[in-house]
Amino acid sequence: MKTLSNKNISKIGIGSYGIGGRGHRDLKLTEKLDDENYIAALVYSLEKGMNFTEIALGYGHGNSLALFKQALERSSIDREDIFFTHSLYTRDLPSLEVIKEDIADFHKVMATDYADSTLITQSLIMKFGEETIYPLLHSLFDDGKTRYVSLSNANPKGIRAFKKEFNDKFIAHEGHLSFEIRALQDKGVFKTCDELNVRNIIWRPLRRNQTAKQNWELLDELAKKYNKTHNQIVLNWICSLRYNPMVMSANKKHIDENIASTEFHMSDDDYQRMTDFRPKNYHPPKIDWESPGVGSSIVTLISDFENHVSQ
Ligand SMILES: NC(=O)c1ccc[n+]([C@@H]2O[C@H](COP(=O)([O-])OP(=O)(O)OC[C@H]3O[C@@H](n4cnc5c(N)ncnc54)[C@H](OP(=O)(O)O)[C@@H]3O)[C@@H](O)[C@H]2O)c1
């Protein structure tokens, strides 16, 4: 997975949800810091070599993209050196017209001719149908508006169907993996992507620092053994699987800590223990893999983890 200027993507990418405040178009904006904090953190991340992100127009009610653009201008990094995935999330997009506006706005706000990839979720395909979404994505290739396409929160069947349609233009799948939540690992999502040569990008790998707060015995043991933080052990393990986590941070100390997590190795045995770990007394709800509304969404699964652990 390379930028237009032919640079490999960094091991860890920049999480953009939260930049300019948390909130999709249907959610109130919360936790908003001063814009300068975000711009400074983004410039810092870009200058340190973090060169990929995924961004949606709905993130921060549009603030995320606008601030990213300002940070890019202020940095010494060129547009062609960044791999931008423009994400189309179902919750922000009530109609095909709004999807088309969203794509046009991405190009306009970023002042760019192209997205490196255009991401859709499996739920977007379910909502609008392959017969609507596939031609739309093909038209982006025809018009030179995107270099690749990506998928998110899909099951192995959906990933295979997308591969059949887009072949080598299908560059990445964005899925969740954290220390506690292994639903996609157990469903074979990452393995399917590896087999099909589709890059596994991992979202919310630190569960917004909630994992570190759990004080897990295994993380504690490995953190002490390698003299690292709990978050560093998690990111290092995810990178060891050749997946690329994306982390959001507006804090330079955390950004340094996250980048440094790629700079050490653990023993094969310790990596295996991380991969094999499953939380005890955790009873996850059924996942809504194929039919919206039947079970929990993957996003809910992550935020609800603590509510499904019995003592
Ligand atoms: N495809 C999808 O469906 C989907 C869904 C959700 C998210 N995403 C993407 O994935 C990205 C990452 O997920 P996320 O932002 O939800 O969660 P995350 O990256 O796991 O966590 C971000 C939070 O953790 C804190 N943090 C980061 N590094 C830290 C460290 N070393 N020590 C302590 N705290 C640290 C940050 O606060 P500070 O600012 O204080 O560092 C921030 O509040 C998003 O930004 C978004 O781009 C995609």
Side-chain angles (χ1 to χ4, degrees):
M1 199 164 150
K2 293 187 174 192
T3 64
L4 190 64
S5 58
N6 211 28
K7 291 189 166 71
N8 284 319
I9 60 159
S10 48
K11 287 186 179 168
I12 298 183
I14 301 174
S16 294
Y17 183 60
I19 302 287
R22 286 214 169 91
H24 277 264
R25 284 176 185 151
D26 64 333
L27 291 177
K28 228 175 112 205
L29 204 58
T30 59
E31 299 172 61
K32 189 175 176 329
L33 306 174
D34 195 71
D35 285 353
E36 254 325 296
N37 282 61
Y38 300 114
I39 296 174
L42 287 171
V43 171
Y44 191 73
S45 304
L46 291 166
E47 304 273 358
K48 288 268 174 179
M50 294 171 86
N51 68 357
F52 76 95
T53 190
E54 65 92 34
I55 200 153
L57 266 290
Y59 281 2
H61 297 186
N63 290 337
S64 311
L65 189 63
L67 292 172
F68 216 114
K69 169 70 177 149
Q70 287 184 53
L72 192 60
E73 277 170 359
R74 203 183 284 182
S75 78
S76 62
I77 310 297
D78 294 331
R79 156 75 187 96
E80 293 71 29
D81 295 328
I82 304 294
F83 195 106
F84 271 108
T85 294
H86 171 219
S87 300
L88 296 167
Y89 289 116
T90 317
R91 63 186 314 154
D92 292 325
L93 305 165
S95 67
L96 184 61
E97 285 62 44
V98 178
I99 296 180
K100 288 180 179 167
E101 276 169 26
D102 208 272
I103 293 168
D105 285 349
F106 172 79
H107 289 79
K108 197 166 138 196
V109 177
M110 274 314 289
T112 184
D113 295 337
Y114 65 99
D116 292 280
S117 188
T118 301
L119 176 148
I120 58 156
T121 57
Q122 183 160 302
S123 67
L124 195 83
I125 302 178
M126 287 193 287
K127 181 170 175 185
F128 292 97
E130 289 178 359
E131 66 286 1
T132 304
I133 296 300
Y134 286 1
L136 175 79
L137 296 180
H138 282 298
S139 75
L140 297 179
F141 289 125
D142 296 342
D143 299 342
K145 290 195 168 151
T146 199
R147 296 173 58 215
Y148 297 100
V149 285
S150 301
L151 191 59
S152 183
N153 304 332
N155 59 11
K157 192 172 149 213
I159 291 167
R160 287 187 193 285
F162 205 67
K163 179 75 182 180
K164 203 166 162 214
E165 181 71 21
F166 293 102
N167 221 319
D168 291 346
K169 289 289 184 190
F170 175 18
I171 192 99
H173 176 266
E174 241 179 61
H176 174 82
L177 176 65
S178 56
F179 186 63
E180 297 95 342
I181 312 284
R182 307 303 182 97
L184 277 76
Q185 186 184 347
D186 294 340
K187 182 84 176 169
V189 168
F190 304 125
K191 197 166 147 265
T192 305
C193 289
D194 283 341
E195 274 169 24
L196 300 177
N197 203 20
V198 169
R199 185 69 66 105
N200 278 302
I201 305 287
I202 306 300
W203 60 264
R204 203 168 295 168
L206 305 181
R207 282 206 314 115
R208 296 197 184 147
N209 203 35
Q210 293 309 304
T211 294
K213 289 186 183 159
Q214 294 279 335
N215 221 12
W216 293 102
E217 215 175 292
L218 176 58
L219 287 183
D220 209 38
E221 179 198 323
L222 297 180
K224 285 189 176 116
K225 179 172 174 183
Y226 295 100
N227 195 22
K228 304 292 171 196
T229 65
H230 288 206
N231 284 328
Q232 286 180 313
I233 298 293
V234 173
L235 292 176
N236 182 279
W237 160 66
I238 293 175
C239 291
S240 79
L241 299 166
R242 298 182 179 276
Y243 309 158
N244 296 75
M246 273 183 313
V247 189
M248 183 267 159
S249 180
N251 176 316
K252 289 183 186 174
K253 194 171 147 271
H254 291 164
I255 295 166
D256 281 340
E257 184 183 321
N258 298 339
I259 291 172
S261 72
T262 64
E263 294 162 1
F264 66 99
H265 291 282
M266 299 196 278
S267 71
D268 289 350
D269 184 45
D270 288 336
Y271 283 128
Q272 197 58 52
R273 289 168 72 207
M274 289 290 289
T275 301
D276 293 344
F277 173 84
R278 294 293 180 280
K280 283 197 188 107
N281 305 322
Y282 173 46
H283 313 287
K286 192 171 152 17
I287 293 284
D288 181 358
W289 286 108
E290 274 149 67
S291 324
V294 171
S296 284
S297 76
I298 293 166
V299 178
T300 317
L301 188 79
I302 294 136
S303 36
D304 272 9
F305 170 75
E306 280 79 6
N307 297 335
H308 294 278
V309 181
S310 59
Q311 297 307 313

